[in-house]
Every structure is written in structure tokens, then in C-alpha cells.
Amino acid sequence: MNRALETERLSLRPFTPEDAEAWFAIWGDPEVIWWGADATFAKSADTLRRLVAAEADWPEGVGWLAVCRKGEDEILGDVLLQAAPFAPGIEIGWHFRREVWGQGYATEAARAVLERALAEGVADRVYAIVALENPRSLRVVEKLGMKAEKDLEYSGLPHRLFAIEPSAG
Ligand SMILES: CC(C)(COP(=O)(O)OP(=O)(O)OC[C@H]1O[C@@H](n2cnc3c(N)ncnc32)[C@H](O)[C@@H]1OP(=O)(O)O)[C@@H](O)C(=O)NCCC(=O)NCCS
């Protein structure tokens, strides 16, 4: 997701290879990547370099954004749009440093990403898939106005699939 974005409190920008250490500090925290996804994913500068390079081939508007407070370089988390593995379309995801949870950052960042994606027609609908045992993330999708579609098993855990489309107005 190649272009920067600003919200009231946050600036969202593409990742650079220099972000590798800070990003792994987030992804290396078992309370953030609690469902046991591959925590080595963000572990090396090499992974991040490959990710950043791969984005060049992704459709405009799809990919990862690093989230910082405006005027600061320190990464608070990430928001991503990627091809959904469970439904035809795009899914949104978010991961934030534990120390900054509960301040509305995930919702604020994700709302900006969603609004731009829907306004620009990057996707007709955007999905989110959230584990039923992840109340924080369930609250984020609720605040974003995403609608529950169905419950399903995903990565061995009960999940709820949510979707949102551009508003008619
Ligand atoms: C999910 C996550 C991104 C949320 O980040 P965040 O910045 O804290 O999100 P927000 O502050 O925008 O919203 C969190 C909401 O959950 C609520 N919340 C916090 N703890 C809660 C709990 N135990 N039960 C229910 N709601 C809870 C907060 O009060 C807040 O809602 P509010 O604004 O109505 O008060 C963050 O917790 C995270 O990175 N988790 C680990 C990674 C993850 O699970 N990613 C999602 C995979 S689907």
C-alpha cells in the first residue's frame, strides 16, 4: 500500500527496511501475535526487505502500512490490506504494540485505510476475519461498522467473518 495517509493523530506510511527491528519488537511479542502465527515472519531485516520489494507487484492500494504518531518515527503498529485467503476479495488486518492498546489507534488507522480503499475502488468489499476469543479486535471491527457475515473455523480457531462495502451515499 504504497501511499502515505494521515489521520487526526496518526501518520501511516510504507515500511522501509530500516523498520525491521521495531517491527519485530511488535511481531515478536507473543501477546500481539497470540494465535501462534509465524512469529519469525518479521524477524529479520531480510523478511521486511522482501515484503517491501514484493509490494511493488501488488495492486495499487494493497499492502502494509506502518503506523506512527504524527511527527514521530517510532512504529506503533501496522495495518494491512491483502488478498483474503478465505473469500474472494481483500481483507484488512491490524497489529499494534501492547503498550499503546486501548487508545483508539487501531480503529483510527484502519478506518482511514478502509475509507480510502473503498473510495478508490481498490475492492468492492473488504473483509476482516477475527477470532471469537479476540474481544479487542471484535470491538475494532464493530467500531468500523463492519457487518458480521458468518462464523467459521480458521487456523484451527472459531472466527467471525466481517465485511464492509462503500456506503450508498
Ligand atoms: C486488536 C488490536 C489491534 C486493537 O488495537 P487498539 O489500538 O487497542 O484498538 P482500539 O483502541 O482502536 O480499540 C480497542 C477496543 O477494544 C476494547 N477492549 C479492550 N479490551 C477489551 C476486552 N478485554 N474486551 C472487550 N473490549 C475490549 C477497548 O475498550 C476499545 O474499545 P472502545 O474504544 O469502545 O473503548 C490490538 O489489541 C492488537 O494488536 N492485538 C494483537 C494483534 C491482533 O489480535 N490483531 C488482530 C487479528 S484479527
Side-chain angles (χ1 to χ4, degrees):
M1 180 157 27
N2 356 49
R3 283 167 301 128
L5 198 51
E6 289 218 327
T7 68
E8 194 186 332
R9 295 178 294 170
L10 304 171
S11 77
L12 286 68
R13 58 161 177 81
F15 277 99
T16 72
E18 290 69 43
D19 294 321
E21 202 174 312
W23 196 35
F24 177 61
I26 300 171
W27 274 69
D29 179 347
E31 283 201 42
V32 175
I33 308 304
W34 59 271
W35 61 92
D38 182 5
T40 60
F41 178 64
K43 198 163 190 164
S44 73
D46 224 37
T47 312
L48 191 57
R49 218 169 276 129
R50 279 202 305 275
L51 185 82
V52 171
E55 280 202 6
D57 298 329
W58 293 7
E60 172 74 17
V62 176
W64 297 78
L65 284 176
V67 181
C68 307
R69 287 191 193 92
K70 266 185 185 165
E72 296 179 15
D73 281 338
E74 190 185 29
I75 297 172
L76 305 180
D78 63 68
V79 175
L80 79 148
L81 287 175
Q82 65 178 2
F86 44 78
I90 297 291
E91 74 161 322
I92 188 165
W94 36 72
H95 314 90
F96 280 73
R97 266 188 17 224
R98 211 176 344 152
E99 300 76 32
V100 304
W101 289 2
Q103 299 178 52
Y105 289 143
T107 307
E108 185 171 326
R111 182 173 284 130
V113 168
L114 262 184
E115 282 176 357
R116 183 170 74 180
L118 293 171
E120 293 186 350
V122 170
D124 296 336
R125 59 187 356 224
V126 176
Y127 293 98
I129 189 163
V130 182
L132 297 184
E133 62 185 88
N134 191 351
R136 293 181 178 81
S137 210
L138 288 169
R139 181 73 187 121
V140 172
V141 287
E142 186 186 340
K143 289 191 287 181
L144 291 171
M146 301 186 81
K147 301 285 176 255
E149 298 231 311
K150 62 176 177 182
D151 288 357
L152 71 169
E153 187 92 348
Y154 185 65
S155 297
L157 290 174
H159 276 70
R160 187 157 295 155
L161 181 66
F162 295 84
I164 190 165
E165 296 178 354
S167 56

